[in-house]
Amino acid sequence: MRTPTIAGPTSVASGRSDALPAREHLPVNTAGRPVLDVVIPVYNEEKDLEPCVRRLHEYLLRTFPYGFRITVADNASTDTTPAVAAGLAAEVPEVRSVRLEEKGRGRALRTVWSGSDAPVLAYMDVDLSTDLNALLPLVAPLISGHSDLAIGSRLARSSRVVRGPKREFISRAYNLILRGSLAARFSDAQCGFKAIRRDVAERLLPMVEDTGWFFDTEMLVLAERAGLRIHEVPVDWVDDPESTVRIVRTATDDLKGVWRVGRALATGSLPLDRLARPFGDDPRDRELSGVPGGLARQLVGFCVVGALSTLFYLALYSLFRLGVGPQAANAGALLVSAVANTAANRRLTFGVRGRDRAVRHQAQGLVVFAIGLALTSGSLAALGAATGDPAHSTELAVLIVANLAATVLRFLLFRLWVFPDRVSSRNER
């Protein structure tokens, strides 16, 4: 690829350290260097580019409390877009233009972000579909040291979005695919409104292979898997009816990217440990003697919850057994204790707080319950076939053994499927 030509202020790339430092508040009073660099990737946008840049520039001058730069990243446009961008860079001090001879939004972002000297790097689409009032909430957590990346979300409950049913369906379907295949927790991968700290970008961008529209998704998935903190901002967003994005081709490329990234994560070929770093004063990351971490901590919590759940289950079974047969008593006791067990493990063992995905977790817990029911019911059926009319103590003994087997399977399913832990591997290194 040819070296891009840059009009406007010259960037100074920062050096890399061997490890990411603890997150801290970024300096905001550095003379001659902007705090924020907003990139606008464009391809043949000669009509919309100038009004977009001037509107964004006026907004930032009026409301943004820190120094900023607007960078127009031209993706090999064939119209007069390069001339418009160069004219803006020559006229407006806070604007520069970068010309790339190859297409690709991801390529443009990687090129500009890798050469920027601003501590916070962002981008937005040229149509300014996202309300600009979300810009400061987007970058503030990065400046303060709270988060590593930030994304605008059109799928948050408080977001207000205007777009057609076709794009709405595609967007939600895509994010469901990401959640199901790559266990992504962020809500909106495709919104063209994102920001990242430069120190994180220096480590993360070399791991991102895609140069097109999947660039955003790949970057977010790798960051999340590495344990970096992603802040989500609800946005007001209005669809651009004249968008030139080819939906079918983009969707096909995205699915190929999902497969490639999923395979890389499954084989462990990505050096995600290069992104690991201490998170400031977070007490959860402190090394304390006598306190187990990662897998060991989860095992201890699971065993405690499991022991209490077993006692609760046996008490319920004995109570239900007074009025119904062994199979019905077992099913009822196991169902009630399974709901309580999932809720307790969700909060105490795996540290999931709040109501987010609580219904989904309970539904997955019921699938695990069904497996446990099959094991225990099968054991009771086998006991009944072997002895005819077993004593109550014998039933309890068989159920204890069957529950031990179900417990081991339950822990594995909870850890790998219901509550996949992305941080434990880093804590155990």
Side-chain angles (χ1 to χ4, degrees):
M1 184 180 73
R2 293 176 54 186
T3 303
T5 57
I6 300 178
T10 303
S11 302
V12 179
S14 65
R16 292 184 180 178
S17 60
D18 292 334
L20 283 171
R23 250 187 346 247
E24 295 180 350
H25 194 293
L26 294 172
V28 295
N29 296 317
T30 304
R33 188 181 71 172
V35 173
L36 173 67
D37 193 346
V38 183
V39 182
I40 303 177
V42 293
Y43 174 73
N44 288 349
E45 297 286 356
E46 59 183 2
K47 177 182 177 181
D48 297 331
L49 178 57
E50 182 169 356
C52 159
V53 171
R54 292 193 181 279
R55 176 186 166 196
L56 175 60
H57 180 260
E58 187 276 332
Y59 177 84
L60 290 171
L61 278 180
R62 179 168 49 87
T63 65
F64 196 69
Y66 310 115
F68 66 88
R69 177 192 299 132
I70 301 172
T71 301
V72 180
D74 173 40
N75 292 261
S77 293
T78 58
D79 61 2
T80 62
T81 296
V84 175
L88 287 167
E91 180 182 346
V92 184
E94 291 84 7
V95 176
R96 70 168 182 167
S97 66
V98 177
R99 165 73 178 180
L100 288 88
E101 301 299 334
E102 295 181 75
K103 290 179 63 176
R105 182 179 69 171
R107 178 180 286 108
L109 292 177
R110 186 201 313 277
T111 300
V112 176
W113 283 354
S114 298
S116 179
D117 60 342
V120 177
L121 312 167
Y123 95 88
M124 62 180 63
D125 294 333
V126 68
D127 54 19
L128 298 185
S129 295
T130 305
D131 182 15
L132 293 178
N133 287 327
L135 183 57
L136 185 56
L138 184 80
V139 301
L142 309 187
I143 295 173
S144 70
H146 175 271
S147 301
D148 297 289
L149 299 92
I151 65 174
S153 175
R154 299 163 296 183
L155 302 181
R157 290 184 178 180
S158 57
S159 297
R160 296 185 297 177
V161 177
V162 178
R163 61 177 168 182
K166 181 179 179 180
R167 287 185 176 271
E168 180 75 12
F169 174 79
I170 292 174
S171 179
R172 291 187 178 275
Y174 180 64
N175 283 283
L176 284 175
I177 290 173
L178 293 181
R179 289 175 176 266
S181 60
L182 299 179
R185 293 183 178 178
F186 48 85
S187 65
D188 192 351
Q190 295 177 312
C191 182
F193 196 70
K194 296 181 175 69
I196 185 173
R197 286 173 61 110
R198 187 187 61 186
D199 57 347
V200 175
E202 289 174 345
R203 291 285 180 174
L204 180 56
L205 295 185
M207 301 183 194
V208 181
E209 294 185 18
D210 191 80
T211 59
W213 292 95
F214 188 69
F215 175 89
D216 302 48
T217 300
E218 185 171 358
M219 178 180 68
L220 291 174
V221 169
L222 298 186
E224 190 174 70
R225 287 298 184 95
L228 299 179
R229 182 175 293 156
I230 300 174
H231 178 74
E232 296 199 23
V233 179
V235 298
D236 297 341
W237 193 87
V238 179
D239 188 21
D240 178 13
E242 299 180 359
S243 174
T244 58
V245 177
R246 288 179 285 186
I247 296 178
V248 175
R249 179 177 176 180
T250 301
T252 301
D253 291 341
D254 286 346
L255 292 177
K256 292 179 180 178
V258 169
W259 169 257
R260 174 177 54 80
V261 172
R263 182 176 57 184
L265 292 172
T267 59
S269 60
L270 294 169
L272 297 181
D273 57 337
R274 296 184 67 241
L275 296 172
R277 68 171 175 183
F279 286 96
D281 294 326
D282 192 336
R284 293 172 297 177
D285 297 308
R286 295 174 183 171
E287 294 291 337
L288 301 177
S289 60
V291 178
L295 176 61
R297 178 188 58 78
Q298 291 180 352
L299 280 171
V300 171
F302 185 82
C303 289
V304 171
V305 172
L308 295 176
S309 297
T310 300
L311 293 176
F312 181 51
Y313 159 77
L314 293 175
L316 286 176
Y317 177 81
S318 297
L319 177 64
F320 293 162
R321 191 66 176 85
L322 297 175
V324 297
Q327 292 290 2
N330 174 61
L334 198 57
L335 176 61
V336 175
S337 62
V339 172
N341 181 275
T342 300
N345 275 306
R346 182 178 187 270
R347 175 66 177 84
L348 302 176
T349 303
F350 297 96
V352 180
R353 297 170 174 81
R355 297 181 180 179
D356 183 40
R357 299 194 299 172
V359 174
R360 175 184 171 182
H361 290 155
Q362 282 292 349
Q364 291 172 308
L366 289 178
V367 174
V368 178
F369 149 78
I371 297 174
L373 177 62
L375 286 174
T376 54
S377 296
S379 300
L380 282 175
L383 177 64
T387 62
D389 186 19
H392 180 63
S393 59
T394 306
E395 288 181 351
L396 291 179
V398 169
L399 286 174
I400 290 173
V401 174
N403 267 287
L404 287 176
T407 297
V408 174
L409 182 60
R410 186 184 303 121
F411 176 76
L412 294 175
L413 289 174
F414 272 2
R415 180 176 171 84
L416 300 177
W417 179 47
V418 183
F419 311 106
D421 188 356
R422 298 168 178 79
V423 183
S424 61
S425 60
R426 176 172 60 86
N427 291 337
E428 294 164 6
R429 287 184 299 110

